[in-house]
Amino acid sequence: MFQKNKNVQAAVSDRNVVSRNTKLSGDFLSEGDFRIDGKIDGNITTTGKVVIGKEGVVNGNITCTNAEIEGLFTGILMVGELLSLKATSTVNGEITLGKLMVEPGAELNAVCTVKGAVKQMYHDESETQKTA
């Protein structure tokens, strides 16, 4: 009466959550998003979004597509698209990103590199000058 479809894949949770009062150390690799309200000492690599909550603390490196920080981050942060720093955030270290949004009150103590299209502000005359 009922047909079983053998091609159906099990649903995989695409959100990883580190709850308050949780401390983890190590390297974490996922294709899903991360929500951190606890503490992580280590590296996070994901093609998704990383959210560090108000009480969240990350010491290490993060590579992601988008990030939103409300808590404390120390390390190297590589964000392919948008980094959003909320008023309660503190970021220390090195950042490479596509776009940056900073709310008043956020603390940013980092070397920041913005990737993307860079417009040439001055025309280099040495390229167009002809010598006799």
Side-chain angles (χ1 to χ4, degrees):
M1 181 172 177
F2 294 101
Q3 295 179 357
K4 292 183 180 180
N5 187 353
K6 294 182 180 182
N7 294 329
V8 176
Q9 295 179 351
V12 177
S13 174
D14 55 359
R15 187 168 186 190
N16 303 287
V17 178
V18 178
S19 301
R20 283 181 31 189
N21 301 319
T22 301
K23 296 178 184 178
L24 299 174
S25 62
D27 295 337
F28 305 94
L29 174 64
S30 176
E31 291 182 6
D33 297 342
F34 278 87
R35 169 76 191 200
I36 302 151
D37 291 309
K39 182 176 181 181
I40 290 184
D41 288 317
N43 304 318
I44 300 170
T45 303
T46 181
T47 55
K49 181 177 182 178
V50 174
V51 176
I52 301 175
K54 262 186 187 177
E55 297 180 25
V57 177
V58 176
N59 295 310
N61 302 330
I62 296 178
T63 302
C64 61
T65 302
N66 293 297
E68 180 178 306
I69 300 176
E70 293 180 271
L72 173 62
F73 173 80
T74 302
I76 298 173
L77 179 59
M78 297 178 67
V79 181
E81 294 179 13
L82 176 65
L83 169 61
S84 177
L85 301 180
K86 301 298 182 181
T88 57
S89 67
T90 301
V91 176
N92 303 304
E94 297 179 30
I95 302 172
T96 302
L97 52 92
K99 294 179 184 177
L100 176 63
M101 183 176 82
V102 182
E103 288 184 358
E107 292 183 32
L108 179 60
N109 306 308
V111 175
C112 198
T113 304
V114 179
K115 298 289 184 183
V118 176
K119 295 181 182 179
Q120 186 175 3
M121 295 185 69
Y122 300 102
H123 183 65
D124 188 3
E125 293 181 19
S126 63
E127 292 178 357
T128 59
Q129 287 182 344
K130 294 182 181 178
T131 56

